[in-house]
Amino acid sequence: MSKSLKEKIEELRNKIREYDYNYYILAKPSVPDYEYDIIYKELEKLEKENPDLITPDSPTQRVGSDLTKVFNQVQHKIPMLSLSNSYSEDELINFDRRVREGLPSNEIPEYVAELKIDGVSVSIKYENGILKTAATRGDGTTGEEVTTNIKTIRSIPLNVNLQKAKEYDLKEFEVRGEIFMEIEAFKKLNEEREAEGEKTFANPRNSSAGTIKMQDPKIVANRPLDIFVYSLLGDKTQFKSQHENLKLLEKLGLKVNPNYRLCKNINEVLQYCEEWEKKREKLPYEIDGVVVKVNSIKQQQILGSIAKSPRWAIAYKFKAKQAETIVKEIRWQVGRTGAVTPVAEFEPVFLAGSTISRATLHNIEEIQRKDIREGDFVIIEKGGDVIPKVVSVILEKRKKGTKATLPPEKCPVCSSPLFKPENEVMIYCENNLCSAKVKGEIQHFASRGAMDIEGLGESLINQFVDWGFLNSYADIYELKNHKEKLVEIEKLGEKSVTNLLDAIEKSKQKNFS
Ligand SMILES: [Zn+2]
């Protein structure tokens, strides 16, 4: 007996779903790529011939073709609370004390410890087992709808295990998780962008955040985004604990980070934190700490929330990641205000998701306090603010003959004398016509925050100042008188000069609008 077309299509879909589950969620591919492709193409063909049989949860429907023009605002039904942070064992012990004080004496808390993925939080809604909508966390109360982009992520199932959903009486439910990019995939993406002359991302989290808000789902589909989910919110409580919650997510076919642990007491939590702070380097993705939750839902409800944070959970943040490198050179650069600041140029080193090759040393007092010298081996770290800094010099590794760093005697750009205002640590170039100051001022004037002249960026301004076309920002509006000369200049074509001059004229109108 031949199967109906509908059955045939559904059978192909189920096969693909199973292969996807094995590949993207269990990371255990079950068929060779070509076999997968054959089945996928067969499904595509049948659906093309019978468009009325296409359903939104078909694996072929992951990547939409429409651009997202606006990301609609979405109100979270249950706010996405932020966790309070802790940075030491003592703070975790205090958290445990507060939890026990908040509970009746017969309620002994257990905890679930989970890795804190350094990514972008999202909320995904399923209805009758099918992915309906997805939104970013936003400010916790209101996020932005990113359904079409979320659907392109292969480790997010378009439909969950229906049998399990029925078993647990889950008609409508919300899943929360963290979108991230693996470190290797992130590096590769940055290499590709660099090769194409595009701006690189500072770290995997930024690249995930940027990608999830892109307008073209086709581009999103080509970016290696991934997810770990950590919470299910149903229309009623289907479980008694966070541990059961995670197990249920797994049963539904969703991707849960496998490294969570049920801890009998806070000591076991501390052990978990210590263990993962050491092991984090071995993970293919970035984590920035551990999330600790009271396991029992009943106890969570007794404890409740204060302001925007639950009393029953806390984030333990790892210490900033550090790396060792060499200070190749200490350069002094002059800013818009004439301030002369030291910058350390390092032997490039990979740290917490990006390659670091320089860091500001702020001022001469900072350099002298840490005694940072050219040629020194130093420890650098990157805190939560992503800006790298020099923590200390490794004195045991200092080579003989290095010299203490001195402030420059004259402006490194125009050789004018420098001055240091009283009660200030900064030194300044006293020449008002110093080309570094002029460049800085013009850059500031043309920048997005001010006149926003498209195409007039830092490097072009620097060249125009060096060639004598610009001596102040007023000269920008005289550039049109030099059009022929500008066109002749290497690399600047007629078209780009015309565009630039148009943008300059356009910026004039800004004053009068
Ligand atoms: Zn100067």
Side-chain angles (χ1 to χ4, degrees):
M1 209 179 89
S2 76
K3 280 176 228 150
S4 78
L5 192 60
K6 208 176 158 188
E7 278 169 348
K8 172 78 188 154
I9 285 178
E10 202 45 46
E11 193 183 296
L12 291 171
R13 284 177 188 160
N14 282 333
K15 268 190 185 165
I16 292 169
R17 282 170 192 144
E18 190 196 322
Y19 299 158
D20 278 349
Y21 177 74
N22 289 331
Y23 188 92
Y24 293 102
I25 297 181
L26 302 181
K28 284 180 191 143
S30 52
V31 285
D33 286 356
Y34 70 88
E35 210 173 308
Y36 183 96
D37 287 345
I38 289 170
I39 293 168
Y40 192 90
K41 289 211 173 90
E42 194 183 346
L43 173 63
E44 255 182 345
K45 183 171 162 276
L46 289 178
E47 286 184 343
K48 209 172 171 187
E49 290 163 2
N50 307 279
D52 50 317
L53 293 180
I54 298 177
T55 56
D57 64 329
S58 170
T60 59
Q61 302 303 300
R62 279 202 179 268
V63 186
S65 51
D66 294 343
L67 295 187
T68 311
K69 297 215 176 61
V70 274
F71 291 97
N72 292 321
Q73 302 269 305
V74 182
Q75 194 91 9
H76 295 299
K77 219 162 142 191
I78 303 166
M80 294 180 82
L81 300 175
S82 54
L83 299 181
S84 41
N85 289 324
S86 61
Y87 299 89
S88 66
E89 289 200 350
D90 284 351
E91 285 179 83
L92 280 181
I93 290 166
N94 281 333
F95 163 72
D96 174 57
R97 186 181 43 76
R98 287 196 304 274
V99 165
R100 282 183 289 116
E101 282 169 4
L103 293 173
S105 55
N106 59 339
E107 293 282 345
I108 310 296
E110 287 183 340
Y111 297 101
V112 173
E114 298 164 49
L115 299 183
K116 190 170 180 298
I117 310 298
D118 196 9
V120 181
S121 303
V122 289
S123 143
I124 305 169
K125 284 190 178 135
Y126 286 87
E127 264 174 54
N128 299 317
I130 296 172
L131 191 158
K132 276 285 168 201
T133 57
T136 60
R137 178 179 180 279
D139 62 4
T141 316
T142 314
E144 286 176 312
E145 202 207 311
V146 287
T147 313
T148 44
N149 288 348
I150 286 291
K151 281 172 82 173
T152 67
I153 302 172
R154 309 294 285 264
S155 51
I156 299 177
L158 297 181
N159 47 15
V160 298
N161 185 324
L162 263 185
Q163 202 192 320
K164 289 288 167 201
K166 281 208 184 99
E167 212 175 286
Y168 284 87
D169 195 18
L170 283 164
K171 285 185 198 73
E172 282 180 34
F173 62 93
E174 180 184 342
V175 169
R176 289 177 178 178
E178 201 79 359
I179 303 281
F180 67 97
M181 206 177 270
E182 288 199 350
I183 297 165
E184 281 309 313
F186 159 77
K187 283 193 205 166
K188 202 168 145 246
L189 174 66
N190 258 358
E191 276 162 24
E192 286 165 10
R193 290 176 71 85
E194 204 162 358
E196 280 161 33
E198 288 174 88
K199 229 181 136 205
T200 55
F201 291 109
N203 53 48
R205 176 164 27 88
N206 283 7
S207 68
S208 302
T211 303
I212 210 67
K213 294 273 294 288
M214 290 182 74
Q215 294 185 309
D216 189 349
K218 285 205 198 71
I219 300 178
V220 180
N222 281 322
R223 297 265 178 92
L225 291 177
D226 207 336
I227 193 170
F228 283 125
V229 300
Y230 52 77
S231 178
L232 182 146
L233 304 161
D235 37 13
K236 48 191 134 176
T237 309
Q238 273 87 359
F239 36 79
K240 291 196 177 66
S241 69
Q242 169 63 10
H243 197 251
E244 279 178 44
N245 190 332
L246 293 168
K247 292 279 174 216
L248 175 55
L249 287 165
E250 287 171 348
K251 282 179 194 157
L252 289 168
L254 290 148
K255 189 170 179 181
V256 175
N257 186 290
N259 300 305
Y260 63 87
R261 187 183 296 166
L262 181 60
C263 301
K264 293 272 166 232
N265 51 50
I266 201 69
N267 284 333
E268 289 187 19
V269 171
L270 294 175
Q271 208 181 333
Y272 179 90
C273 293
E274 200 189 314
E275 214 176 293
W276 280 103
E277 186 144 19
K278 281 185 200 138
K279 282 201 286 194
R280 65 195 290 214
E281 302 292 341
K282 296 200 176 82
L283 291 168
Y285 44 84
E286 299 218 307
I287 57 172
D288 59 351
V290 169
V291 174
V292 183
K293 293 173 185 160
V294 168
N295 188 36
S296 151
I297 303 291
K298 180 183 155 203
Q299 291 177 1
Q300 289 182 6
Q301 283 162 349
I302 296 173
L303 291 161
S305 302
I306 21 163
K308 282 186 168 176
S309 305
R311 279 201 190 88
W312 45 267
I314 196 164
Y316 171 74
K317 298 277 241 177
F318 292 148
K319 282 160 207 81
K321 274 197 196 175
Q322 298 189 328
E324 183 185 319
T325 185
I326 302 170
V327 177
K328 290 197 297 188
E329 191 192 347
I330 295 174
R331 262 189 326 107
W332 295 84
Q333 58 182 32
V334 187
R336 175 165 64 97
T337 59
V340 182
T341 50
V343 176
E345 300 282 346
F346 304 128
E347 194 64 51
V349 59
F350 193 76
L351 172 64
S354 58
T355 303
I356 311 291
S357 48
R358 64 178 59 84
T360 176
L361 298 176
H362 303 289
N363 54 61
I364 186 67
E365 285 184 14
E366 175 83 359
I367 293 179
Q368 287 168 343
R369 194 168 58 79
K370 292 178 178 162
D371 190 17
I372 302 165
R373 304 178 180 191
E374 285 183 347
D376 269 347
F377 286 81
V378 290
I379 300 288
I380 61 169
E381 75 172 30
K382 218 158 72 167
D385 53 3
V386 200
I387 297 167
K389 64 173 184 188
V390 174
V391 182
S392 60
V393 173
I394 308 172
L395 287 173
E396 309 87 75
K397 288 196 175 181
R398 177 172 280 170
K399 295 210 180 75
K400 275 186 190 138
T402 61
K403 291 190 194 82
T405 305
L406 296 171
E409 282 165 359
K410 51 192 185 181
C411 174
V413 174
C414 71
S415 300
S416 298
L418 300 171
F419 71 100
K420 184 169 172 290
E422 229 165 287
N423 305 324
E424 259 196 58
V425 288
M426 298 303 283
I427 39 180
Y428 295 86
C429 167
E430 61 172 36
N431 174 13
N432 279 331
L433 298 174
C434 175
S435 73
K437 278 198 214 178
V438 172
K439 285 171 182 170
E441 265 167 30
I442 299 174
Q443 280 160 18
H444 181 70
F445 179 81
S447 70
R448 205 162 284 178
M451 298 304 281
D452 192 13
I453 302 173
E454 209 185 311
L456 193 57
E458 191 178 322
S459 64
L460 205 52
I461 289 172
N462 291 349
Q463 284 173 320
F464 285 173
V465 172
D466 292 339
W467 293 328
F469 291 117
L470 296 177
N471 293 306
S472 73
Y473 52 75
D475 289 346
I476 291 175
Y477 297 101
E478 303 300 324
L479 279 175
K480 57 175 186 264
N481 302 327
H482 308 292
K483 185 168 178 183
E484 274 167 33
K485 275 190 207 153
L486 292 177
V487 172
E488 280 169 28
I489 286 168
E490 223 185 331
K491 279 190 195 169
L492 289 178
E494 163 106 44
K495 197 172 165 226
S496 65
V497 171
T498 307
N499 287 345
L500 176 64
L501 294 176
D502 286 350
I504 290 170
E505 288 307 304
K506 220 173 91 190
S507 78
K508 269 185 184 171
Q509 291 155 13
K510 225 165 254 179
N511 279 338
F512 307 106
S513 64

